[in-house]
mmCIF file of all heavy atoms in Angstrom:
data_model
loop_
_atom_site.group_PDB
_atom_site.id
_atom_site.type_symbol
_atom_site.label_atom_id
_atom_site.label_comp_id
_atom_site.label_asym_id
_atom_site.label_seq_id
_atom_site.Cartn_x
_atom_site.Cartn_y
_atom_site.Cartn_z
ATOM 1 N N TYR J 83 102.717 103.495 122.288
ATOM 2 C CA TYR J 83 102.011 102.703 121.281
ATOM 3 C C TYR J 83 101.952 103.427 119.936
ATOM 4 O O TYR J 83 102.250 102.842 118.893
ATOM 5 C CB TYR J 83 100.583 102.378 121.736
ATOM 6 C CG TYR J 83 100.472 101.114 122.531
ATOM 7 C CD1 TYR J 83 100.352 101.145 123.905
ATOM 8 C CD2 TYR J 83 100.476 99.876 121.903
ATOM 9 C CE1 TYR J 83 100.242 99.988 124.647
ATOM 10 C CE2 TYR J 83 100.366 98.703 122.632
ATOM 11 C CZ TYR J 83 100.246 98.767 124.004
ATOM 12 O OH TYR J 83 100.140 97.611 124.724
ATOM 13 N N LEU J 84 101.541 104.688 119.952
ATOM 14 C CA LEU J 84 101.418 105.425 118.693
ATOM 15 C C LEU J 84 102.773 105.644 118.039
ATOM 16 O O LEU J 84 102.875 105.674 116.808
ATOM 17 C CB LEU J 84 100.674 106.742 118.924
ATOM 18 C CG LEU J 84 99.211 106.584 119.360
ATOM 19 C CD1 LEU J 84 98.565 107.945 119.561
ATOM 20 C CD2 LEU J 84 98.410 105.736 118.388
ATOM 21 N N SER J 85 103.824 105.762 118.834
ATOM 22 C CA SER J 85 105.179 105.867 118.279
ATOM 23 C C SER J 85 105.569 104.579 117.565
ATOM 24 O O SER J 85 106.165 104.618 116.481
ATOM 25 C CB SER J 85 106.195 106.167 119.372
ATOM 26 O OG SER J 85 105.933 107.406 119.962
ATOM 27 N N LEU J 86 105.226 103.450 118.155
ATOM 28 C CA LEU J 86 105.530 102.168 117.521
ATOM 29 C C LEU J 86 104.734 101.975 116.231
ATOM 30 O O LEU J 86 105.268 101.491 115.227
ATOM 31 C CB LEU J 86 105.268 101.021 118.492
ATOM 32 C CG LEU J 86 106.210 100.949 119.692
ATOM 33 C CD1 LEU J 86 105.741 99.901 120.685
ATOM 34 C CD2 LEU J 86 107.633 100.667 119.241
ATOM 35 N N TYR J 87 103.459 102.350 116.244
ATOM 36 C CA TYR J 87 102.648 102.260 115.025
ATOM 37 C C TYR J 87 103.230 103.161 113.940
ATOM 38 O O TYR J 87 103.317 102.770 112.776
ATOM 39 C CB TYR J 87 101.200 102.661 115.293
ATOM 40 C CG TYR J 87 100.442 101.761 116.253
ATOM 41 C CD1 TYR J 87 99.280 102.209 116.859
ATOM 42 C CD2 TYR J 87 100.877 100.473 116.565
ATOM 43 C CE1 TYR J 87 98.574 101.396 117.744
ATOM 44 C CE2 TYR J 87 100.177 99.666 117.441
ATOM 45 C CZ TYR J 87 99.025 100.129 118.026
ATOM 46 O OH TYR J 87 98.320 99.341 118.886
ATOM 47 N N SER J 88 103.629 104.359 114.324
ATOM 48 C CA SER J 88 104.216 105.298 113.362
ATOM 49 C C SER J 88 105.534 104.763 112.818
ATOM 50 O O SER J 88 105.821 104.894 111.626
ATOM 51 C CB SER J 88 104.455 106.667 114.013
ATOM 52 O OG SER J 88 103.245 107.209 114.464
ATOM 53 N N TRP J 89 106.338 104.146 113.686
ATOM 54 C CA TRP J 89 107.603 103.570 113.248
ATOM 55 C C TRP J 89 107.379 102.492 112.186
ATOM 56 O O TRP J 89 108.092 102.444 111.183
ATOM 57 C CB TRP J 89 108.352 102.987 114.451
ATOM 58 C CG TRP J 89 109.638 102.331 114.083
ATOM 59 C CD1 TRP J 89 110.844 102.928 113.873
ATOM 60 C CD2 TRP J 89 109.848 100.921 113.872
ATOM 61 N NE1 TRP J 89 111.794 101.977 113.548
ATOM 62 C CE2 TRP J 89 111.202 100.746 113.537
ATOM 63 C CE3 TRP J 89 109.011 99.806 113.939
ATOM 64 C CZ2 TRP J 89 111.743 99.495 113.266
ATOM 65 C CZ3 TRP J 89 109.559 98.555 113.670
ATOM 66 C CH2 TRP J 89 110.903 98.415 113.342
ATOM 67 N N LEU J 90 106.354 101.629 112.416
ATOM 68 C CA LEU J 90 106.043 100.591 111.428
ATOM 69 C C LEU J 90 105.730 101.195 110.070
ATOM 70 O O LEU J 90 106.253 100.754 109.042
ATOM 71 C CB LEU J 90 104.844 99.759 111.890
ATOM 72 C CG LEU J 90 105.076 98.641 112.868
ATOM 73 C CD1 LEU J 90 103.756 97.999 113.255
ATOM 74 C CD2 LEU J 90 106.018 97.602 112.307
ATOM 75 N N ILE J 91 104.870 102.201 110.068
ATOM 76 C CA ILE J 91 104.469 102.835 108.803
ATOM 77 C C ILE J 91 105.667 103.505 108.147
ATOM 78 O O ILE J 91 105.874 103.369 106.927
ATOM 79 C CB ILE J 91 103.323 103.845 109.044
ATOM 80 C CG1 ILE J 91 102.078 103.122 109.573
ATOM 81 C CG2 ILE J 91 103.016 104.635 107.790
ATOM 82 C CD1 ILE J 91 101.526 102.057 108.665
ATOM 83 N N MET J 92 106.469 104.230 108.903
ATOM 84 C CA MET J 92 107.630 104.917 108.331
ATOM 85 C C MET J 92 108.637 103.923 107.743
ATOM 86 O O MET J 92 109.208 104.177 106.685
ATOM 87 C CB MET J 92 108.317 105.798 109.385
ATOM 88 C CG MET J 92 107.477 106.957 109.823
ATOM 89 S SD MET J 92 107.000 107.926 108.382
ATOM 90 C CE MET J 92 106.266 109.308 109.138
ATOM 91 N N LYS J 93 108.859 102.812 108.436
ATOM 92 C CA LYS J 93 109.774 101.801 107.906
ATOM 93 C C LYS J 93 109.239 101.199 106.604
ATOM 94 O O LYS J 93 109.999 100.988 105.657
ATOM 95 C CB LYS J 93 110.014 100.693 108.931
ATOM 96 C CG LYS J 93 110.916 101.060 110.066
ATOM 97 C CD LYS J 93 112.337 101.334 109.622
ATOM 98 C CE LYS J 93 113.127 100.063 109.493
ATOM 99 N NZ LYS J 93 114.558 100.277 109.237
#
Side-chain angles (χ1 to χ4, degrees):
Y83 271 102
L84 295 180
S85 297
L86 292 172
Y87 296 162
S88 300
W89 178 82
L90 278 177
I91 297 301
M92 293 304 188
K93 285 294 277 188

